[in-house]
Amino acid sequence: MDLESIPGVGEKTARALAELDDPERALRAGDVAAIATAPGISQGRAARIARGAIRLEHDDPGGFLATDRAREVYRQVLGLLQERTVTDYAAQRLETIYPSPKRSRIEEVQAFAAEAIEREPSPEVVEALEGVEPLREPGDVTVRERCLATTDAERYSEAREAIPELSVEIVEDAQGLAELARGYSTVIALDESFAGVTLEGDVQVRPDALENPAEVVPERPLAFFARNRDRLRAAVAVHRAADLEPPCDLAALEDGLSRLSEDGTVAGDDELDRLTTAVDDLDAAAGTAENVANDRLREAIREQDVTIEGADLLSLVERGAGVDSLLSRELADEYAAAVEAARDHLVDALDLDQGEAEIARRAFGDEPTFPVERDEDAVGRLREELTAAKERRAGRLKRDLAADLADQREGARQLVRDALELDVELAVARFAREFECTMPEFADSTAEVGFDIESGRSPLLDEPLEAIDPVDYAVSGVALLSGVNSGGKTSMLDLVASVVVLAHMGLPVPAERVRLRRFDDLHYHAKTQGTLDAGAFESTVREFADLAQGGEGSLVLVDELESITEPGASAKIIAGILEALSDNGATAVFVSHLAGEIREMADFDVTVDGIEAVGLVDGELEVNRSPVKDHLARSTPELIVEKLADESRATATNGGAPSASDGEPEPLFYDRLLEKFE
């Protein structure tokens, strides 16, 4: 796929997309999360790029939503779908599903939607989805206690590029390697020439290290799992709750994650925990051991009666001897016991093994002194030993864990992708259930039908579904829709628009049955507020002129276009527009209170349908919301006059004598008014 050929993608964005592991897969799948990992691309931009890639693949020119109101309807139905998502990813992913005139794109989404509506959005699955997010890249990893060493400058450059996580050092010989070993816990020599050389410290000769970086730097794969640990666990929970087929071994993945800390270190190993605690607590434990020895020695001195004869005291003074000599002579046993207590405390406090304990015991010497002080060199050697043991243990555990998780990485990525895609499917499933939707049927012949909706309920109405009357409406060609005010004409246009938009998105529609043609575009003109000025009127007429010239395959919905100018002129203009649309084979519904006048002015037999009010009940209209075919609906004033005439006749029949104050009787007056509506 030529990335720069995607609509909206320039050279800079194409370079960013090329850095993805598999840009074509991400673009073809509409994987917004993966696309958003490209440098400088947000999730919103990723959704737009994905739409562009889909349009390119299906040769979709775009522009199906041809007017502001058509685009508004799309945003409304899309919003209803997005409200039923759990994750931000799913909401963005739904942005890649858009209305298209292309059969291949519609059928592609229909296949997805057919599976989606079979999903069961159980509370357990929804709860598990709350913890799922797109995976994050771990970023740079730096390991300071390990280094690579080589004698070759070219090898040095290769190593820096292949394993940037480690320092790379150039050495001249084994002596240089030995010096490095004193500064690093582990030194990995890349040259075969060092094989067989014996040095102090952890020096490994690994000529193949650059070909197996995960073995040398297990932190690299572990960083990915550590940073995404909670997200992966949530994805595992989703698969279990939804009974999805997992792309990897869930038990093995969970086991690996349980052994990994959030900071990328290995968790759950008692020996590593012991060594880590020993290193962290060494200074405090040594200080406490000093206190133990000194407290014991002070107590011994207090309880001991020491007698020094004059000759002995003189001898001590002459030799310049101090208290140490006195301790050696008079309190040798007590001092030895105090030092032994200090050594035992240090060993016990740090839980040292036998070899470590031997080093630890050297921290307190046998030569009497007061106060007792630890030997910092011995403590330093113990720290080095413990730290080296800890790093060796951690390194081995990391390598083992990295080996266990290495094969899980791609499966883990797919695990999260599947969980996030499930959220998209469940949003469609919830929408379909809550609005009692069905998959629409597209007619093979464009001349066969415009649209045919059975028991449709507009999802745009701010009413509970059970409070919305289901309606039937079918149009082939062009039609005028008449009806009383507040009878549901605009809601009918909204229903048609939302059904057509959802159908061309490839999604289920809110009706029992829908059959329609594939339209090239949707032109929905909402009711204007007040008469337009001359410039705006001219612009509107020009827009319909362009539509009339190329309107074949278009669906045109117009709400009370007569409001743009004077009623008499409006009827003539609408009649002319309908003639042009009919000639070009477009499908159109024009809502108008001038349906009768327009029909008389049109030079073809234009269909007039009517949303009929069947009467007034307690001052409220009672309406049959489904349009009656080939029927000019009566207006609200006509219904009111008819109601008054019926009431007047009933009064007269019951013995009353209603009459106007000065003129003809009321029944005759109302009958005369009714004649004007005929």
Side-chain angles (χ1 to χ4, degrees), residues 97-98 102-118 428 438-443 499 502-509 514 516 518:
I97 302 178
Y98 65 94
K102 292 296 182 176
R103 180 193 297 272
S104 59
R105 174 57 181 169
I106 294 171
E107 291 178 346
E108 182 179 72
V109 181
Q110 280 183 328
F112 156 81
E115 292 186 9
I117 59 179
E118 298 299 322
V428 174
T438 188
M439 293 301 294
E441 176 187 354
F442 283 91
V499 164
L502 284 164
H504 285 75
M505 292 170 73
L507 298 177
V509 297
V514 169
L516 74 165
R518 276 190 300 108

Side-chain angles (χ1 to χ4, degrees), residues 485 489 527-528 558-564 591-593:
N485 288 330
K489 300 186 299 298
K527 188 187 305 183
T528 59
V558 183
D559 196 0
E560 296 189 19
L561 185 62
E562 62 262 27
S563 62
I564 66 173
V591 166
S592 178
H593 288 291

Side-chain angles (χ1 to χ4, degrees), residues 1 3 6-9 12-54 89 92-93 95-96 134-135 137 413 417 420-421:
M1 178 184 292
L3 298 178
I6 298 171
V9 173
K12 182 179 178 181
T13 303
R15 284 199 305 269
L17 293 172
E19 293 188 26
L20 298 174
D21 289 340
D22 190 351
E24 286 200 23
R25 185 212 64 79
L27 291 166
R28 293 182 190 281
D31 190 344
V32 174
I35 298 170
T37 62
I41 296 180
S42 65
Q43 280 207 350
R45 178 96 193 281
R48 293 192 293 274
I49 291 171
R51 282 200 303 272
I54 292 168
Y89 167 84
Q92 293 288 349
R93 172 74 171 84
E95 297 268 359
T96 67
L135 296 176
E137 291 305 313
R413 289 186 183 277
R417 282 198 293 263
L420 291 169
E421 285 298 315

Side-chain angles (χ1 to χ4, degrees), residues 490-501:
T490 299
S491 295
M492 176 58 70
L493 292 186
D494 284 348
L495 171 62
V496 173
S498 59
V499 164
V500 169
V501 166

